[in-house]
Amino acid sequence: MTVWQQILALDARFNAHRVPADPGFRTLYIRRRSQLLREGVREEAGADPALRRQYLRQRAALLSRRYGVPADQVSVRSHSASTQSHSRQSHSRHHSDVGVARRGGESPATPGGGGTLVPSARATASQAIVGGGSLGENYAFAGFLHVFDQHTGPVTCVQFAHDELWLLALGSLDGRVSVCELEGEPRVRHLLSGHTDGVTALAWSTSNELLVTCARDGTARLWQPGSGHCLRAVADPHGSPLSCVVFHPENNNLVLLGNRHGLVQAVNVSSGRFPAGGSSQLASAVTALAAPPTGALIWAGCQKGMVVSFQCDQASGRLVKCRRVTVSDGVPVTCISARSWASREAADMSLLVNAACNSLLLFRVVDQEGGLQLKRRFSVRHSSAEHVIKSSFCPIMSFRQGACVVSGSEDCTVYLFDVERDLKPCVNKLQGHSAAVLDVSFNRDESLLATGDASGIVIVWKRQLSTTESA
C-alpha cells in the first residue's frame, strides 16, 4: 500500500467522528480527500518517502488529539506491514490472472476469478463513514418526492449534478432539456429548447457550471444551466445523429461525442473545432460513452456489443485506441458506467454495462489498457434495441461492506442489486412507472433517486433514512 493510500485510510478511520450529524458531508469529504491525494501522487512522484511517513505519523497524532481517540486504535506501523504484504499478494495475483494483449487488439472479457470488488468484512473504517444497517435497510424507499411530466416524449437521460442534492437535468426525445430544482417545492427552473430532434444524452461539467447535450439532429449544445442560455451549438462534421456525450474528466474544455456512423470524436467546446487525431472509428454505431473522474481511460460501447477503451490526451484531444472487448456479441451496449472504489480495501476500477440481452454486466478492469474480467451478471428485462436502458453505481458504494448498483428495465421496474450477493442479489424493486424505465440517477447522499421512462414521466423517489443518518 502506498503512502497516499495509508493517509486516506487514516482519514477514513477518523471520519465517523467528523461532523457526526451530517453523513453526506463526511462522504463528500473523504471523496474529495481521495481525489486530492491521487493528484498529489502524480505531482510529487519524486518526493522523499520518509517525509511522507513523517507526515502520516503527525497527522495521526493530530487527529487522535482532535477527536479524543487513543492513538493505539489507529496504529499506522502495524497496519502498514500487513497491507504491504496484501499489496504484494494482490500484485502477484493480478499478473497471474491477466494475459498480455497488443494495443488495439481484441480480447474476450475474462469470466469469474479475481477477488472481491468491495471492502472486506473487516472494513470497519469504510462502514463507519455511512453508518450501519443492512443493504436492504439502506435502500428502502418511502415513496415519491415529486413526479415531473412536462416532457411529451420518452425521457432518455436523467442526471443529478455532481455532488449535488437538489439539482437535476432531464433530456427527452421531444427535443427539450429540463433543469429542475428539488429543494423546497420541486420545480422546473429552465426548459431548454434548441435541438430540432430528440435529445439522446447529457452531461454536467465538473463544476456544474456547464451542461452539454447531444441529439438525433446531429448537434451538440453547450448550455449555461444557471441562466438557461445556449452558449454554443456544434454540428457533427459527418451529419450523423449523435447518441452519447461526456466531458473529458480532466479538461472540461474537451467534450467526447459518439455518433451513429461509429465515430468517437473529441471537440473543443470553446472553439467548436474537432482537433486533428481526435477521432476513432468503431465497428458499428457508438451507443455509450463513459469518462470516470479517476483513471486515464475513456470507454465506448457500440451496436455490435463491443466495449473499447481509449486514452485521450487532455491537451490536444488526440485519441489512442487501447483494448476492444466483446461483452455481448451482436447485441447493443446501451450504457457504460465506470467507477473506482475509493476505499483502501478495494481500489480496482469497475465497469457496469447494460446490454440488450436481458443483462446487466459488472466487470473489473484488470490492466492499464482496459482489459476486462467479468465479475457478475444480473438479469434485467432488456431485449429491444429500441430501448436504451441505463444503469448507475450507487454513489457511496465505496464506503460499505456491500455495494449496490441500480438499473432501469423494460418491465417498468427499477432494480437495485448487491454486487457481492450470490443468491437473490436483488435488494429492492421500485414499481411506479407504466412504461420502460430508461435512465436512473442518485443524488450525492442517495437520499433521492430519479428515474425516467419511455412515456415521458420522471419519478423522484425518497429513500428511507436510517436511524444513524436521521440522527
Side-chain angles (χ1 to χ4, degrees), residues 140-149 160 166 182 184-186 412-414 428-435 437 447-453 457-464:
F141 286 79
F144 300 169
L145 173 73
H146 192 71
V147 176
F148 289 103
D149 61 356
F160 275 98
W166 312 111
L182 301 177
E185 185 68 25
C412 312
T413 303
V414 180
N428 201 355
K429 299 179 183 179
L430 304 181
Q431 296 175 321
H433 289 279
S434 59
V437 181
S447 59
L448 299 176
L449 172 66
T451 58
D453 70 24
I457 296 296
V458 174
I459 298 176
V460 182
W461 309 78
K462 295 188 298 182
R463 188 169 65 86
Q464 181 73 52

Side-chain angles (χ1 to χ4, degrees), residues 59-286:
R59 183 162 180 80
L62 289 171
L63 288 172
S64 177
R65 187 183 310 165
R66 170 67 177 82
Y67 296 110
V69 179
D72 59 1
Q73 292 185 15
V74 287
S75 170
V76 175
R77 184 182 300 275
S78 61
H79 176 73
S80 177
S82 63
T83 52
Q84 286 175 0
S85 173
H86 173 73
S87 178
R88 287 193 295 270
Q89 293 172 7
S90 298
H91 182 75
S92 174
R93 185 166 59 248
H94 169 82
H95 283 282
S96 67
D97 288 346
V98 180
V100 177
R102 289 177 293 179
R103 181 178 296 270
E106 182 171 359
S107 60
T110 309
T116 184
L117 283 172
V118 300
S120 66
R122 293 185 294 175
T124 53
S126 296
Q127 295 175 51
I129 296 173
V130 293
S134 67
L135 285 180
E137 293 170 337
N138 287 326
Y139 292 105
F141 286 79
F144 300 169
L145 173 73
H146 192 71
V147 176
F148 289 103
D149 61 356
Q150 67 270 17
H151 290 288
T152 57
V155 173
T156 55
C157 36
V158 176
Q159 196 172 120
F160 275 98
H162 298 297
D163 294 320
E164 281 283 346
L165 293 174
W166 312 111
L167 190 58
L168 176 68
L170 317 171
S172 170
L173 291 187
D174 66 10
R176 298 179 298 169
V177 177
S178 300
V179 179
C180 304
E181 176 66 52
L182 301 177
E183 188 172 20
E185 185 68 25
R187 63 187 179 91
V188 178
R189 180 190 290 179
H190 298 293
L191 196 57
L192 310 178
S193 299
H195 287 293
T196 58
D197 205 339
V199 176
T200 52
L202 60 83
W204 292 91
S205 66
T206 303
S207 65
N208 298 324
E209 294 177 353
L210 298 173
L211 184 69
V212 64
T213 60
C214 69
R216 292 176 174 178
D217 63 8
T219 67
R221 288 180 174 266
L222 189 69
W223 307 87
Q224 197 172 54
S227 65
H229 293 150
C230 181
L231 303 177
R232 182 176 294 279
V234 180
D236 182 90
H238 305 278
S240 173
L242 297 173
S243 53
C244 41
V245 62
V246 291
F247 278 100
H248 190 289
E250 295 180 339
N251 178 7
N252 282 181
N253 198 40
L254 283 177
V255 163
L256 293 157
L257 301 167
N259 72 15
R260 291 192 181 175
H261 286 172
L263 279 175
V264 177
Q265 303 172 96
V267 58
N268 185 308
V269 292
S270 293
S271 63
R273 296 179 180 177
F274 292 80
S279 66
S280 183
Q281 182 74 49
L282 271 60
S284 59
V286 183

